[in-house]
Amino acid sequence: MVRLPRVCPVGIPQHIIQRGNNRQTCFASEDDFSAYLSWLKAYSKKFDVAVHAWVLMTNHVHLLCTPKAENGISQMMQSIGRQYVRYFNYTYKRSGTLWEGRYKSCLVEAERYLLALYRYIEINPVRANMVEDPASYPWSSYQINALGKVSSLCTPHDIYMRLGADQFERTQNYRGLFKSHVETQLLDDIRLAANTGMALGQDRFKQEVERLTGRRQRPQKRGRPIGWRREEC
């Protein structure tokens, strides 16, 4: 089956998921996490991609990014993938594939869903019962976005910057987002969009993306179309 080209409009955020093949471990040591983040930093700069949030779990990765140049995210992810697989195979004396095919991604309506995705990504270690507080997990962007830790990798999105007039106010308001649970419907919407590659947003946003890209962004209705059965001659 021919693979469709990625939909990657400049300036529209994307939620990206990269999983280990058969959910195998991709990060087995602190050096592994550090290596991936170092290449994420290098290639995001090289291909002009703003990285807003991330979490590295043992067998998958979540990223929230905005491309500033055509095909920036595809080039970034391909470069990281190749470099990291070479490193991982050499380190652990293995061969073969590491990732589960191509990474998954979806476009995100920033005004309504961006901060929800920040939270969805950074709360992953808590949902997985790895830590009780997202601040305790060192391989995510939470310490940067919520606690003000300095980072040359993280680029705050304009929506994040609106949380306050200064860093203290922004981080305080950002931490407040984590005091409530992510709604079940919102979780379902995020997961559906990520798994299908369709845009995460309201109908108007999806329609705009369809016009911009020429690609369908809403599931087709099941069943036969109305009036499909012809009358017998």
Side-chain angles (χ1 to χ4, degrees), residues 26-42:
C26 301
F27 304 100
S29 72
E30 291 189 0
D31 288 342
D32 298 346
F33 289 109
S34 296
Y36 189 98
L37 288 176
S38 70
W39 282 312
L40 176 60
K41 176 181 175 181

Side-chain angles (χ1 to χ4, degrees), residues 66-119:
T66 301
K68 303 297 184 181
E70 290 289 339
N71 299 317
I73 285 180
S74 293
Q75 292 175 312
M76 178 186 77
M77 295 303 295
Q78 289 169 7
S79 298
I80 295 171
R82 285 193 295 264
Q83 286 279 20
Y84 188 77
V85 169
R86 282 197 290 264
Y87 155 83
F88 194 86
N89 285 352
Y90 176 81
T91 300
Y92 296 101
K93 306 298 187 291
R94 66 183 297 278
S95 61
T97 187
L98 176 65
W99 304 117
E100 184 184 64
R102 297 201 300 176
Y103 66 90
K104 295 182 178 181
S105 64
C106 69
L107 303 177
V108 179
E109 183 181 2
E111 289 289 342
R112 294 189 63 87
Y113 290 93
L114 193 82
L115 291 178
L117 267 172
Y118 267 86
R119 181 175 59 165

Side-chain angles (χ1 to χ4, degrees), residues 63-228:
L63 305 173
L64 181 58
C65 306
T66 301
K68 303 297 184 181
E70 290 289 339
N71 299 317
I73 285 180
S74 293
Q75 292 175 312
M76 178 186 77
M77 295 303 295
Q78 289 169 7
S79 298
I80 295 171
R82 285 193 295 264
Q83 286 279 20
Y84 188 77
V85 169
R86 282 197 290 264
Y87 155 83
F88 194 86
N89 285 352
Y90 176 81
T91 300
Y92 296 101
K93 306 298 187 291
R94 66 183 297 278
S95 61
T97 187
L98 176 65
W99 304 117
E100 184 184 64
R102 297 201 300 176
Y103 66 90
K104 295 182 178 181
S105 64
C106 69
L107 303 177
V108 179
E109 183 181 2
E111 289 289 342
R112 294 189 63 87
Y113 290 93
L114 193 82
L115 291 178
L117 267 172
Y118 267 86
R119 181 175 59 165
Y120 174 82
I121 288 170
E122 293 175 353
I123 205 69
N124 253 264
V126 177
R127 284 202 303 268
N129 295 316
M130 300 173 71
V131 295
E132 293 185 358
D133 185 337
S136 301
Y137 193 75
W139 308 113
S140 84
S141 51
Y142 182 86
Q143 293 181 5
I144 299 156
N145 291 318
L147 305 179
K149 181 179 177 180
V150 176
S151 169
S152 57
L153 168 58
C154 189
T155 300
H157 192 276
D158 289 345
I159 300 292
Y160 173 89
M161 295 298 290
R162 296 181 201 169
L163 288 173
D166 54 32
Q167 186 184 49
F168 177 81
E169 187 177 0
R170 283 191 292 271
T171 54
Q172 184 179 49
N173 289 334
Y174 186 79
R175 291 193 299 273
L177 299 175
F178 289 74
K179 293 180 180 179
S180 59
H181 294 289
V182 180
E183 299 83 357
T184 301
Q185 184 59 56
L186 180 56
L187 279 175
D188 291 344
D189 290 345
I190 290 172
R191 290 165 178 163
L192 177 63
N195 288 326
T196 61
M198 295 183 182
L200 176 63
Q202 294 186 311
D203 282 344
R204 182 176 179 180
F205 174 74
K206 293 177 182 179
Q207 290 169 1
E208 291 173 353
V209 172
E210 287 175 343
R211 287 195 294 269
L212 179 65
T213 65
R215 296 268 292 276
R216 181 171 55 84
Q217 297 296 318
R218 288 166 290 184
Q220 290 181 322
K221 293 182 179 179
R222 295 183 178 180
R224 300 281 190 175
I226 297 174
W228 70 275

